[in-house]
Amino acid sequence: MPNPLTLTSLPLFPLNTVLFPGGQLPLRVFEVRYLDMVRKCHQAGTPFGVVALTGGEEVRRPMQATESFHPVGTLAQIQQLDSVQPGLLHILCQGHARMRLDRAHQLPHGLWVADVSLIAMDLRCGVPEDLRSISQALSQVLHKLHQRQLAQEDRVQGTSVDLPTDLQLDDCGWVANRWCELLPIPIPLKQQLLELESPLVRLELVGDVLERTGIAF
């Protein structure tokens, strides 16, 4: 039996962003190397991997350096696909398990594929009393964003801001991941937070970032 925690020849999408488990990611897809991949993943219900770039650009150009990327990323499952016009797709993805690249190589037409090992999902960890204010502040932010969205009746490429549940707000990993998506911090720092094994430590570091950036909670 194959190891259920590994995937082979997983297509990759190197981006200037970090996708966290449970997060939403809207994408405009127009490069030939990704159009066919996205359609096949959508039809088969299979994920692709999102990895943050360390070199190169999202869109290939002549005489451009080959992309390089972090060895840890996140599986993305397509939730919605809209064919806007020939050669242009709008997709909405959701982050699932984290993954570590074991071997990656680029196919002749430019698509990256990799053999990956899945990283265990965060163990549920209740938010301790001294970090409750971080969770409460997140709830307030998400409620405001939700109300603003309802007032504007505008969803960017199908994204939505859902109201958090009490269970989610009492989960260190979930709270930390949502803050990581919202905070305007550099990609290398987001990547470090993604790679942390302990959701409690991740939330503590998010609290430090909130204090340093002057965001009250």
Side-chain angles (χ1 to χ4, degrees):
M1 292 288 291
N3 187 341
L5 297 180
T6 63
L7 293 172
T8 59
S9 297
L10 179 77
L12 300 179
F13 215 133
L15 296 168
N16 286 312
T17 191
V18 177
L19 177 63
F20 284 81
Q24 289 188 329
L25 177 65
L27 292 172
R28 295 174 67 253
V29 183
F30 54 86
E31 284 194 83
V32 175
R33 59 176 170 166
Y34 296 129
L35 286 169
D36 185 54
M37 178 269 282
V38 164
R39 289 192 184 97
K40 287 180 177 178
C41 286
H42 184 248
Q43 290 172 0
T46 55
F48 57 86
V50 172
V51 287
L53 285 163
T54 57
E57 301 293 336
E58 291 183 348
V59 180
R60 281 202 307 171
R61 295 181 177 85
M63 308 300 293
Q64 178 180 289
T66 303
E67 303 100 331
S68 58
F69 35 80
H70 287 282
V72 173
T74 305
L75 293 183
Q77 193 78 39
I78 299 173
Q79 293 184 308
Q80 181 180 325
L81 183 149
D82 296 317
S83 183
V84 181
Q85 62 189 51
L88 177 61
L89 300 174
H90 283 179
I91 63 173
L92 178 65
C93 309
Q94 184 169 33
H96 286 277
R98 294 172 296 164
M99 62 182 188
R100 187 179 305 278
L101 307 185
D102 298 326
R103 287 173 297 277
H105 67 279
Q106 195 171 26
L107 301 179
H109 65 293
L111 181 69
W112 285 92
V113 296
D115 297 339
V116 307
S117 299
L118 301 188
I119 299 173
M121 299 293 286
D122 285 337
L123 293 176
R124 177 168 177 76
C125 175
V127 177
E129 190 61 35
D130 62 324
L131 299 179
R132 287 279 178 187
S133 57
I134 304 175
S135 178
Q136 293 165 357
L138 176 66
S139 178
Q140 293 172 4
V141 169
L142 294 179
H143 274 78
K144 288 179 181 178
L145 290 174
H146 182 76
Q147 290 300 320
R148 184 182 305 169
Q149 183 182 74
L150 292 178
Q152 295 176 345
E153 295 183 353
D154 180 25
R155 295 188 176 189
V156 180
Q157 293 189 26
T159 57
S160 62
V161 179
D162 297 323
L163 294 179
T165 66
D166 291 341
L167 197 63
Q168 289 170 331
L169 292 172
D170 190 36
D171 184 340
C172 283
W174 192 89
V175 173
N177 290 348
R178 302 295 75 78
W179 268 124
C180 288
E181 294 161 354
L182 291 168
L183 287 170
I185 55 179
I187 287 179
L189 178 53
K190 290 194 178 192
Q191 181 69 30
Q192 291 176 17
L193 292 167
L194 174 73
E195 295 183 18
L196 285 173
E197 293 185 8
S198 169
L200 175 57
V201 172
R202 193 181 310 135
L203 185 59
E204 290 173 339
L205 291 177
V206 163
D208 292 341
V209 172
L210 287 168
E211 288 185 353
R212 291 201 305 271
T213 54
I215 297 176
F217 61 90

